[in-house]
Amino acid sequence: MTTPVCNSASRAATPYPSFASYMRARGPVLLRTARSLTANPSDAEDLLQTALTKTYVAWDRIEDHRALDGYVRRALLNTRTSQWRKRKVDEFACDELPEPEAVPEPDPADQQVLHDAMWRAVMKLPDRQRAMVVLRYYEDLSEAQTAEVLGVSVGTVKSAVSRALGKLREDPELAPVR
């Protein structure tokens, strides 16, 4: 935000010296408010300048100067809303409508084959690893919940599941088709 230079010559020319002191005192707080309304710090500075300009124009009409922060915040919000509503949307005419590329749906038979292969691979795991994999990934329990159900530590669940996933990755039935 550009802060106006206030030397003795400019103070004499300012019809509202109380506005200048208000702006110096409250500027940083108001700038934080403006930054919360915009994504870009430069836009926030511009927004605050616009709101302060509106406040300056209405300075003599504001009866309670103890409520200035509320007045400026409302000016910030109204200005930002107006900017958002006036946002320009570019439209381009074209001869053909762009259609999204059709993504082929997977064959249900292939999905069933993969599902069956996965269950066969899970069934090859030792009982304890299989229980942990099923609870973690099929029942969607957390590591802590799985540990509680099985009466083991969270570390045991982590290491056992890691070993089980390693075995599943090595299973030839689950190797990706090349």
Side-chain angles (χ1 to χ4, degrees):
M1 178 173 81
T2 312
T3 306
V5 177
C6 290
N7 56 29
S8 59
S10 67
R11 282 188 189 155
T14 304
Y16 304 119
S18 58
F19 176 79
S21 63
Y22 169 77
M23 190 177 73
R24 277 192 303 277
R26 300 300 294 162
V29 173
L30 296 170
L31 182 57
R32 279 195 302 273
T33 302
R35 283 189 177 151
S36 71
L37 295 172
T38 63
N40 181 334
S42 298
D43 291 341
E45 291 173 358
D46 292 342
L47 178 63
L48 180 58
Q49 287 287 18
T50 303
L52 287 174
T53 301
K54 290 177 179 181
T55 304
Y56 181 81
V57 169
W59 192 256
D60 57 349
R61 293 186 314 241
I62 301 173
E63 294 176 12
D64 185 7
H65 281 215
R66 292 175 296 182
L68 283 172
D69 281 358
Y71 184 92
V72 175
R73 279 193 217 103
R74 177 49 62 186
L76 284 166
L77 188 58
N78 290 346
T79 302
R80 182 65 184 133
T81 302
S82 294
Q83 290 171 346
W84 176 78
R85 285 181 180 154
K86 292 177 186 176
R87 184 181 63 197
K88 183 180 176 190
V89 178
D90 292 328
E91 292 181 14
F92 299 99
C94 57
D95 293 336
E96 293 181 31
L97 290 175
E99 296 295 329
E101 244 181 72
V103 177
E105 293 200 21
D107 183 7
D110 289 341
Q111 287 181 316
Q112 188 62 46
V113 167
L114 180 60
H115 180 265
D116 293 343
M118 177 58 97
W119 269 112
R120 282 192 300 276
V122 168
M123 294 306 289
K124 292 178 193 173
L125 294 172
D127 291 342
R128 190 171 174 177
Q129 287 180 359
R130 181 174 57 245
M132 291 182 190
V133 167
V134 168
L135 289 173
R136 283 286 289 128
Y137 299 105
Y138 286 92
E139 296 297 324
D140 201 24
L141 296 182
S142 68
E143 290 167 340
Q145 291 169 323
T146 302
E148 185 179 328
V149 167
L150 297 175
V152 297
S153 71
V154 173
T156 300
V157 171
K158 288 181 181 182
S159 62
V161 167
S162 176
R163 284 191 301 276
L165 293 177
K167 289 178 183 178
L168 292 174
R169 283 187 199 100
E170 294 170 1
D171 193 298
E173 274 193 277
L174 299 177
V177 179
R178 296 180 201 267

